[in-house]
Amino acid sequence: MDKDNLRALLHSVLQPDTERVTEATATLKKDYYGNPQSLGLLLQILVSDDSIEIRQLAGTEARKLVPKHWSEIPDGQKPDIRSHLLQSTMSESSKVVRHASSRLIGVIAQRDLAENEWADLPSLMLEGATNPNAQAREVSTYIFFSILDEVEDSTLFDYKKMFSAFSHTIQDLANPDVPMNTLFALSKVAIRIDTDNDDPALNAFRQFIPKMVNVLLHFIRQKDGDRITQTFECFQTILDATPRMFDPHFRELVQGMAQIAADNTHDSDTRTQALNFLLSCLIERKTKFQGLRIGEQLTTMLFEILSKEEAVPSLVEDDNQDLTRSCLHLLAMMASELPPPQVAGPTVVIFKKFANSPDAGQRQAAITILANIVEGATDFVRYQLPELFPAILKLLNDSSDVVRECAVLACRDIADALPDVMAKKHEEFLSSLARNLELAMEGATGEDAERYMKIAANCCLAIDGLVAGLSAKHVKAYMPELVPNLTRLFAHPNLDIKKSAVSAIGTIASAAEKDYLPYFEQTTGALSQYLSVTEGEEELELRAIVTDTMGELAEAVGPEAFSQYVKPMIEASRECLEMDHPRLRESAYMLWASLAKVYKEDFKVFLPGAVQKLIEALGKEEDADIELPLDEEHTDLIGKEVIISGKKIKVVGESMEDEDDDEDDEEAGWDDIAGYSEVAQEKEVALEAMADIFSHTGKEYMPFYEKTVTAIIPLLEHDNESTKESAISGMFRLYASLWKLQPEAQSKWTPGIQIETKPSQEIEKIRDLLMEKVMDEYATEQDGTIMMEYNSSIADTLTMCGPFLISSQGTVEAIIKVLLQLIGKKHPCQQEFDEEFELEDDENSEDAWLLIESAFDVICGLSKALGPQFAEIWKIFDKTIIQHASATSVTERAATIGTIAEVIKGMKGGCSPWTDNFLKILLHRLSDENPGVKSNAAYATGLLVEHSEKAAEIKKAYQSILGKLEPLLQVDDSALLDNAVGCVARLISKYPDTIPISDVLPVLVNHLPLKQDYEENEPVWKTIVQLYKSSNSTVQELTSQIVPALEKTLEEQGDDMNEDTQGEVAQLVKYFQSKQPGLLERYPGLAKALEW
């Protein structure tokens, strides 16, 4: 084996000639690298060749061969090799070669130290770290870092001596490579320290943290971009590996990073990296971060940064190295993870202060930060939003194009999260969005066309979200203008505009229902051309959206109008399954679900094919077609598939290219494992579609029932959060669907622990299978989102299907235990690394509260399923839940009062022992500062009056209740008014002799028909019928007002009434007709009641 030939091959590898490189690489692998002598020759070239590039490549290649050949080099030769290698590295003039040699030494040391060879190397390097010669210090510290990076056995290092040397090297700022190498080394040391136990190295390490910060600040002052990045990476490595390491200095570290981010004299990359580190601190140490109570300060800082940035969020690439995007990432995460008073509250204050600022940058930043907290603090924003509408509308009509663009983006995001709230000002918002769309379309023909087309697309998406919150009545009024204008955009050359317009039309159709029929043919004609698209990533995405919209159109116009499109759409959906485009396949599944909703059991002709494809989707293997680089140590894996975290990964060898001079990117290729997530997403959609199909096709689905259960059960343990949620929901929906298919004698249930009528064997079988799986996970699940899905599914199923679900021995007790853990924040899914850090009970982020609220939902479900017998269980939860009624958070107070209402409704007379306690709480909350809390309190008070058997206590409270209700009946809030009216109705109905009907009833009738909470029609019309039956003179005098109110109620809300209320109303209409024979001619809408 010839050294000169080997050198020539290395030279060829470095040439810009692909064919020559490929040939040389193949020769090296075939004729040289399999022979142990090749390692020796590479070492000779490394220490003696004249070419820097050749020396560097020789060191890199030698490092790869050490695991394979070092042990085959005769022991007698190794001391000389070590000595020459070390000497040449110390004297090497080229930094990149020094680093290649140092990394090589680290790999050799990994093997030698394990065999008690070269044992003095670490000590020699620590001595060299304090050598008077600058290069000796630089090389010694880098070699020591390389050794730490390779050698895992911590007992081979003298930590006392190491830290002593580092205390000098970290301050060697005159030679910046020395402190940089020290940080590299410290990041590797941190990984070895046990922060959970009394590791003696822990305190010694923590003393370096302020010095590490000083090094970072020095590099920032020197504007040394590369070293700034490397230093941040060291901090990140330590935080990721040992999150508690920074604890004693956590506040100072967070505040220091905030100062770096806020300082606009630093370059954008430096500030961005500081923001990203703050984000990591929040993620890794959420509770400790929350305990700093620094959210308001950071929110203000982020606003100030954004107010001076010119970039509009819609034009910023989703790249975490961008300053604007990093600001928004951090703010969104803080809104999600920290309590509203720390982030969402200050954001609203900032918005109010700067929305009308003369500075366009401040107006832009104000609306941007408001939109950015909506997803993480949805409920908080819900209650604040109506007050902010005037300012938002003003910004939509701002004189600045950029501010208007940001306002459009904000409306898009807010409408997506809170369509029902935005809909309260639908006329103003739709008018402003239409104007912005018109301006954007005009601008889309100019030189800044791309930007304006994005604005146009976002206008369409904002309209889409807003329309989702509208009733059919309101949508109908806008369709003559909206539908033609949006339909014209289907032909626009920009695909984003097309997609957003198509999506908006689908939402309009869903909201309008049958009222969309006049536009149906025009819409389908304009969409049909896109159902045959077969190529182009964006074009296929458009086809998927069109397919979704066709499903929405089917649900809107109904089976007869859509009948001619069923077979063509089924054929088109089958084509979608054959294309290698996950989104298209998902659109096919959802189309089938829509058609099943429309045609119900008549969908049976398509069931065999649809179910087969859905089950195939659920059974897909989640392989990742990712090729990973591999070094020589694992060449036996080349060409094979390995399983990594449950995914199949194909392995290939690593090509011979120059390594980075500082870092080994050993993790390269591992950050891209995304193939499996597409399959997981497809499974999620398939599960949702399957649930819709079996929920609507009834008995026709029964032949596929067992196959469906078999396909879903394994997914209850899926690694992907969303897929697992869909599997949980799907199984509970399957149980509910089977329950409804039973004969009425079995499906109609009575509240209580004892099951009066035994359900079918199929129900019992799926109940046992489902609850066995669920209860195993319910107590130990570590994902909060999945726990919320468990709670939601259990609560809904109890409400629909009654107590049989929990009738197995021990199930109720097990559920109660978990619920107590969740409410007390002691469940495994609520435990964090920093759980020892105590917070006040009232400090919940919205995510944390939503988990507790989901436990409240299960309690409500239990009360519904168990009826009066739930009273024994309420004893367990009473104080635990009631304490949240006085929380500082509006969301918590509203949810708690709502829970009390539902529990009273479920327990009925079983609530009586708590009458005094409930009255005290509810009377207090009837004067709450928040309308939503007052609304729930009014509802709960009415239910307590209706169901409590403590007559004396209830009658005694009548005057207090009426006094609290009086101001509520004078506000402009539909939900609050409806619930106050419902409460008054229940007061009259329960104890009519205790209330001045002649004073109260006219007020009640003046507020009819109800505007929003149609459930309260039950007590209202029951009470009015009751008064007519008792020949009450006041109600007789109000007949001229009651009749038109009833007609309007029947026209708008009749279908939403339950059977008992419909029966009461039908009696009332017949009574009116008997007294006034020509009444139906004057009020034809009343005739609807006679059909019931």
PDB file of all heavy atoms in Angstrom, residues 109-123:
ATOM      1  N   ALA A 109      -8.415   8.645  22.029  1.00  0.00           N
ATOM      2  CA  ALA A 109      -8.479   8.652  23.492  1.00  0.00           C
ATOM      3  C   ALA A 109      -9.671   7.857  23.996  1.00  0.00           C
ATOM      4  O   ALA A 109      -9.597   7.214  25.054  1.00  0.00           O
ATOM      5  CB  ALA A 109      -8.565  10.087  23.995  1.00  0.00           C
ATOM      6  N   GLN A 110     -10.753   7.875  23.263  1.00  0.00           N
ATOM      7  CA  GLN A 110     -11.936   7.118  23.671  1.00  0.00           C
ATOM      8  C   GLN A 110     -11.594   5.639  23.854  1.00  0.00           C
ATOM      9  O   GLN A 110     -12.023   4.993  24.813  1.00  0.00           O
ATOM     10  CB  GLN A 110     -13.038   7.272  22.619  1.00  0.00           C
ATOM     11  CG  GLN A 110     -14.315   6.507  22.946  1.00  0.00           C
ATOM     12  CD  GLN A 110     -15.312   6.553  21.806  1.00  0.00           C
ATOM     13  OE1 GLN A 110     -14.925   6.516  20.635  1.00  0.00           O
ATOM     14  NE2 GLN A 110     -16.588   6.628  22.139  1.00  0.00           N
ATOM     15  N   ARG A 111     -10.787   5.120  22.939  1.00  0.00           N
ATOM     16  CA  ARG A 111     -10.402   3.710  23.020  1.00  0.00           C
ATOM     17  C   ARG A 111      -9.242   3.492  23.998  1.00  0.00           C
ATOM     18  O   ARG A 111      -9.237   2.541  24.775  1.00  0.00           O
ATOM     19  CB  ARG A 111     -10.040   3.204  21.629  1.00  0.00           C
ATOM     20  CG  ARG A 111     -11.286   2.861  20.827  1.00  0.00           C
ATOM     21  CD  ARG A 111     -11.244   3.339  19.401  1.00  0.00           C
ATOM     22  NE  ARG A 111     -12.566   3.124  18.802  1.00  0.00           N
ATOM     23  CZ  ARG A 111     -13.549   4.027  18.835  1.00  0.00           C
ATOM     24  NH1 ARG A 111     -13.353   5.180  19.409  1.00  0.00           N
ATOM     25  NH2 ARG A 111     -14.724   3.752  18.295  1.00  0.00           N
ATOM     26  N   ASP A 112      -8.270   4.379  23.962  1.00  0.00           N
ATOM     27  CA  ASP A 112      -7.094   4.192  24.818  1.00  0.00           C
ATOM     28  C   ASP A 112      -7.439   4.305  26.294  1.00  0.00           C
ATOM     29  O   ASP A 112      -7.002   3.489  27.113  1.00  0.00           O
ATOM     30  CB  ASP A 112      -6.019   5.220  24.462  1.00  0.00           C
ATOM     31  CG  ASP A 112      -5.254   4.839  23.198  1.00  0.00           C
ATOM     32  OD1 ASP A 112      -5.543   3.762  22.637  1.00  0.00           O
ATOM     33  OD2 ASP A 112      -4.387   5.615  22.773  1.00  0.00           O
ATOM     34  N   LEU A 113      -8.173   5.309  26.670  1.00  0.00           N
ATOM     35  CA  LEU A 113      -8.480   5.505  28.082  1.00  0.00           C
ATOM     36  C   LEU A 113      -9.304   4.349  28.644  1.00  0.00           C
ATOM     37  O   LEU A 113      -9.162   3.992  29.822  1.00  0.00           O
ATOM     38  CB  LEU A 113      -9.232   6.823  28.275  1.00  0.00           C
ATOM     39  CG  LEU A 113      -8.421   8.100  27.991  1.00  0.00           C
ATOM     40  CD1 LEU A 113      -9.311   9.343  28.095  1.00  0.00           C
ATOM     41  CD2 LEU A 113      -7.255   8.224  28.961  1.00  0.00           C
ATOM     42  N   ALA A 114     -10.141   3.776  27.802  1.00  0.00           N
ATOM     43  CA  ALA A 114     -10.921   2.620  28.246  1.00  0.00           C
ATOM     44  C   ALA A 114     -10.025   1.422  28.529  1.00  0.00           C
ATOM     45  O   ALA A 114     -10.374   0.533  29.321  1.00  0.00           O
ATOM     46  CB  ALA A 114     -11.963   2.254  27.184  1.00  0.00           C
ATOM     47  N   GLU A 115      -8.838   1.380  27.894  1.00  0.00           N
ATOM     48  CA  GLU A 115      -7.888   0.292  28.092  1.00  0.00           C
ATOM     49  C   GLU A 115      -6.737   0.717  29.010  1.00  0.00           C
ATOM     50  O   GLU A 115      -5.702   0.061  29.068  1.00  0.00           O
ATOM     51  CB  GLU A 115      -7.317  -0.138  26.735  1.00  0.00           C
ATOM     52  CG  GLU A 115      -8.352  -0.632  25.734  1.00  0.00           C
ATOM     53  CD  GLU A 115      -9.015  -1.917  26.193  1.00  0.00           C
ATOM     54  OE1 GLU A 115      -8.338  -2.700  26.921  1.00  0.00           O
ATOM     55  OE2 GLU A 115     -10.195  -2.131  25.839  1.00  0.00           O
ATOM     56  N   ASN A 116      -6.952   1.841  29.702  1.00  0.00           N
ATOM     57  CA  ASN A 116      -5.932   2.388  30.613  1.00  0.00           C
ATOM     58  C   ASN A 116      -4.651   2.763  29.876  1.00  0.00           C
ATOM     59  O   ASN A 116      -3.544   2.659  30.419  1.00  0.00           O
ATOM     60  CB  ASN A 116      -5.622   1.406  31.756  1.00  0.00           C
ATOM     61  CG  ASN A 116      -5.033   2.104  32.963  1.00  0.00           C
ATOM     62  OD1 ASN A 116      -5.321   3.287  33.207  1.00  0.00           O
ATOM     63  ND2 ASN A 116      -4.210   1.403  33.716  1.00  0.00           N
ATOM     64  N   GLU A 117      -4.798   3.171  28.635  1.00  0.00           N
ATOM     65  CA  GLU A 117      -3.676   3.666  27.839  1.00  0.00           C
ATOM     66  C   GLU A 117      -3.790   5.181  27.697  1.00  0.00           C
ATOM     67  O   GLU A 117      -4.885   5.743  27.811  1.00  0.00           O
ATOM     68  CB  GLU A 117      -3.707   3.019  26.444  1.00  0.00           C
ATOM     69  CG  GLU A 117      -3.574   1.497  26.447  1.00  0.00           C
ATOM     70  CD  GLU A 117      -2.167   1.031  26.769  1.00  0.00           C
ATOM     71  OE1 GLU A 117      -1.227   1.854  26.631  1.00  0.00           O
ATOM     72  OE2 GLU A 117      -1.999  -0.127  27.176  1.00  0.00           O
ATOM     73  N   TRP A 118      -2.660   5.827  27.421  1.00  0.00           N
ATOM     74  CA  TRP A 118      -2.619   7.279  27.242  1.00  0.00           C
ATOM     75  C   TRP A 118      -3.331   7.981  28.413  1.00  0.00           C
ATOM     76  O   TRP A 118      -4.034   8.975  28.255  1.00  0.00           O
ATOM     77  CB  TRP A 118      -3.252   7.690  25.917  1.00  0.00           C
ATOM     78  CG  TRP A 118      -2.570   8.886  25.289  1.00  0.00           C
ATOM     79  CD1 TRP A 118      -1.546   9.618  25.782  1.00  0.00           C
ATOM     80  CD2 TRP A 118      -2.909   9.479  24.010  1.00  0.00           C
ATOM     81  NE1 TRP A 118      -1.197  10.631  24.923  1.00  0.00           N
ATOM     82  CE2 TRP A 118      -2.014  10.559  23.813  1.00  0.00           C
ATOM     83  CE3 TRP A 118      -3.837   9.179  23.021  1.00  0.00           C
ATOM     84  CZ2 TRP A 118      -2.039  11.352  22.672  1.00  0.00           C
ATOM     85  CZ3 TRP A 118      -3.865   9.975  21.891  1.00  0.00           C
ATOM     86  CH2 TRP A 118      -2.970  11.052  21.709  1.00  0.00           C
ATOM     87  N   ALA A 119      -3.185   7.429  29.590  1.00  0.00           N
ATOM     88  CA  ALA A 119      -3.912   7.882  30.776  1.00  0.00           C
ATOM     89  C   ALA A 119      -3.544   9.301  31.189  1.00  0.00           C
ATOM     90  O   ALA A 119      -4.323   9.984  31.867  1.00  0.00           O
ATOM     91  CB  ALA A 119      -3.663   6.918  31.935  1.00  0.00           C
ATOM     92  N   ASP A 120      -2.341   9.736  30.809  1.00  0.00           N
ATOM     93  CA  ASP A 120      -1.930  11.086  31.224  1.00  0.00           C
ATOM     94  C   ASP A 120      -2.411  12.171  30.261  1.00  0.00           C
ATOM     95  O   ASP A 120      -2.177  13.354  30.501  1.00  0.00           O
ATOM     96  CB  ASP A 120      -0.415  11.153  31.345  1.00  0.00           C
ATOM     97  CG  ASP A 120       0.288  10.869  30.011  1.00  0.00           C
ATOM     98  OD1 ASP A 120      -0.378  10.319  29.091  1.00  0.00           O
ATOM     99  OD2 ASP A 120       1.484  11.190  29.887  1.00  0.00           O
ATOM    100  N   LEU A 121      -3.086  11.793  29.173  1.00  0.00           N
ATOM    101  CA  LEU A 121      -3.498  12.776  28.168  1.00  0.00           C
ATOM    102  C   LEU A 121      -4.383  13.885  28.743  1.00  0.00           C
ATOM    103  O   LEU A 121      -4.106  15.066  28.525  1.00  0.00           O
ATOM    104  CB  LEU A 121      -4.202  12.078  26.996  1.00  0.00           C
ATOM    105  CG  LEU A 121      -4.728  13.011  25.895  1.00  0.00           C
ATOM    106  CD1 LEU A 121      -3.577  13.761  25.229  1.00  0.00           C
ATOM    107  CD2 LEU A 121      -5.523  12.217  24.844  1.00  0.00           C
ATOM    108  N   PRO A 122      -5.486  13.556  29.481  1.00  0.00           N
ATOM    109  CA  PRO A 122      -6.327  14.645  30.013  1.00  0.00           C
ATOM    110  C   PRO A 122      -5.545  15.618  30.899  1.00  0.00           C
ATOM    111  O   PRO A 122      -5.720  16.836  30.788  1.00  0.00           O
ATOM    112  CB  PRO A 122      -7.401  13.896  30.813  1.00  0.00           C
ATOM    113  CG  PRO A 122      -7.484  12.549  30.172  1.00  0.00           C
ATOM    114  CD  PRO A 122      -6.064  12.228  29.781  1.00  0.00           C
ATOM    115  N   SER A 123      -4.661  15.081  31.752  1.00  0.00           N
ATOM    116  CA  SER A 123      -3.871  15.958  32.637  1.00  0.00           C
ATOM    117  C   SER A 123      -2.926  16.835  31.837  1.00  0.00           C
ATOM    118  O   SER A 123      -2.738  18.024  32.144  1.00  0.00           O
ATOM    119  CB  SER A 123      -3.086  15.118  33.646  1.00  0.00           C
ATOM    120  OG  SER A 123      -3.962  14.430  34.504  1.00  0.00           O
TER     121      SER A 123
END
